[in-house]
Amino acid sequence: MKGKTNQRPVLVIGAGPIGLTAALALRRFEIPATIIEAEPKERIRPGSRAIYFHKATLKHWEDIYPGLGFTFAKHGVVWPVKRTLFGGKEVYIKRYPAPNRNELPPFTSLPQVEAEKFLYEACVEAGVEFIWNSPVRQVETNENGVIVTTESGEVWQADYAIGADGARSVVRQSLGIELEGPRSRDRFVVVDIEEDPSAPLPLERVFHYQHPAMEGRNVLFVPFAGGWRVDLQLFAEDDAQQYGSIEGVRQWISKVMDKKYADRITWVSMYQFHQAVARSFTDEHCRVVLAGEAAHLFAPFGARGMNSGVADAIVAVKAIHAAFQ
């Protein structure tokens, strides 16, 4: 409704995993939570995206919504072995003990779409309000609070807001907060591959430095619930289209996996490394807090993006809770 003004205690911008976590944490502190999301509720999220969740992240979810961390653990996979090879020769191996059902595992791996489903269901149960299909156009702050205007002209006012709207954050840009840090020239092809349930591969995370079948390019294999994530690091002179097209992926996947997996590709994407952090995680009036990729862009190794974003959301909510006291 154009021109309508809505008042809420706290607004969360973005309904990805970080925004959902922030809203759930707000409800844990008995603070009303409203999420404004640019896309419709029935949005389709292609690919596995972030798939690896550290134990610390599972514990965060368990703390704000008892049982949620264990839900992730139940539906994800914990690989018992991780290996590192150099030039085809194994140089490192670690074996994990069998998971204890009564304890959170050291990590779990499942597609982001599944993670968002569990978080969304918890948010609905906790009484989070969702405003779908409402792209944010402008965010302004003053000493008294936050004013958020959507593309439709609807106006939302709040005491505080959490910007969890991703790498191209409208919240961050509206507040004039810049990202600082380098952007690597390294390019990676990331591929989702559906597992063959009749003859699955051993459940192992394997990192090949200078894979002999790929002329020395690095290749990473990570299992997740239902499939495999395969990352290929390109050389600077490589033709991205050659390696990143579906046909190109089929050709090199057949060199590093059983040839049947060339016909089980479900998603292909490309990325470059970023090491950028927002100049400030909050605005000059300390009314908006940035979280996740709205606040920082990390190289994916170590799964720092999603996991650090969850921690951001928890800290942001604790700060807002303290401010309300």
Side-chain angles (χ1 to χ4, degrees):
M1 296 178 61
K2 189 171 183 179
K4 180 182 177 182
T5 299
N6 306 272
Q7 184 74 41
R8 298 291 189 276
V10 183
L11 296 172
V12 177
I13 314 301
I18 309 309
L20 293 168
T21 297
L24 201 56
L26 286 166
R27 297 303 300 131
R28 173 66 178 82
F29 286 105
E30 299 183 349
I31 301 172
T34 299
I35 294 180
I36 300 178
E37 166 58 38
E39 298 181 349
K41 181 180 178 181
E42 297 78 16
R43 58 190 176 158
I44 297 175
R45 305 275 273 175
S48 61
R49 298 174 180 259
I51 60 173
Y52 184 96
F53 306 98
H54 292 295
K55 183 175 183 176
T57 299
L58 300 178
K59 189 176 186 306
H60 279 312
W61 285 326
E62 191 68 21
D63 288 344
I64 63 174
Y65 193 84
L68 184 57
F70 283 98
T71 295
F72 274 77
K74 175 183 176 181
H75 290 86
V77 298
V78 178
W79 56 83
V81 178
K82 67 177 181 181
R83 305 178 188 274
T84 301
L85 295 88
F86 185 85
K89 180 181 178 181
E90 187 171 277
V91 295
Y92 173 81
I93 182 171
K94 179 175 181 178
R95 301 183 187 276
Y96 292 93
N100 184 333
R101 292 185 179 181
N102 297 319
E103 298 179 359
L104 290 171
F107 61 88
T108 194
S109 186
L110 71 161
Q112 183 174 322
V113 65
E114 291 294 302
E116 291 181 356
K117 181 184 75 172
F118 299 138
L119 285 163
Y120 172 74
E121 290 171 351
C123 282
V124 170
E125 182 68 23
V128 173
E129 178 185 21
F130 286 85
I131 309 299
W132 298 100
N133 203 23
S134 298
V136 169
R137 183 176 67 206
Q138 182 70 30
V139 178
E140 302 169 89
T141 65
N142 54 47
E143 294 180 354
N144 299 314
V146 186
I147 302 171
V148 176
T149 305
T150 66
E151 291 290 353
S152 68
E154 195 166 15
V155 178
W156 296 79
Q157 296 182 351
D159 295 297
Y160 299 97
I162 297 174
D165 53 338
R168 298 179 178 86
S169 174
V170 174
V171 176
R172 185 186 67 240
Q173 293 175 30
S174 290
L175 298 174
I177 300 174
E178 297 180 357
L179 287 175
E180 299 176 343
R183 175 173 179 168
S184 169
R185 294 182 60 190
D186 291 340
R187 294 172 300 166
F188 293 76
V189 181
V190 55
V191 183
D192 280 359
I193 295 180
E194 182 183 11
E195 181 57 281
D196 178 2
S198 65
L201 291 169
L203 206 57
E204 300 179 350
R205 189 232 68 173
V206 183
F207 201 150
H208 281 269
Y209 287 96
Q210 299 185 15
H211 197 301
M214 291 304 299
E215 297 81 40
R217 296 174 182 84
N218 299 333
V219 185
L220 171 64
F221 299 87
V222 181
F224 63 88
W228 287 82
R229 159 75 59 79
V230 184
D231 282 23
L232 173 69
Q233 183 174 10
L234 301 181
F235 291 145
E237 64 273 14
D238 284 340
D239 181 346
Q241 181 63 26
Q242 176 185 348
Y243 289 93
S245 65
I246 289 294
E247 187 54 41
V249 172
R250 285 196 180 103
Q251 292 179 19
W252 64 259
I253 280 290
S254 297
K255 297 179 181 179
V256 299
M257 302 180 75
D258 189 298
K259 295 185 185 302
K260 67 181 178 181
Y261 288 104
D263 296 320
R264 303 183 74 86
I265 298 167
T266 60
W267 183 59
V268 178
S269 184
M270 297 201 56
Y271 63 87
Q272 284 183 280
F273 272 9
H274 295 263
Q275 291 291 93
V277 178
R279 185 179 68 249
S280 171
F281 278 27
T282 188
D283 66 291
E284 60 179 325
H285 299 105
C286 297
R287 291 289 174 169
V288 175
V289 185
L290 301 178
E293 290 192 334
H296 46 68
L297 300 174
F298 292 145
F301 291 161
R304 293 173 293 169
M306 165 76 77
N307 290 280
S308 62
V310 169
D312 291 344
I314 301 296
V315 171
V317 169
K318 288 182 177 179
I320 290 172
H321 176 250
F324 276 130
Q325 300 307 299

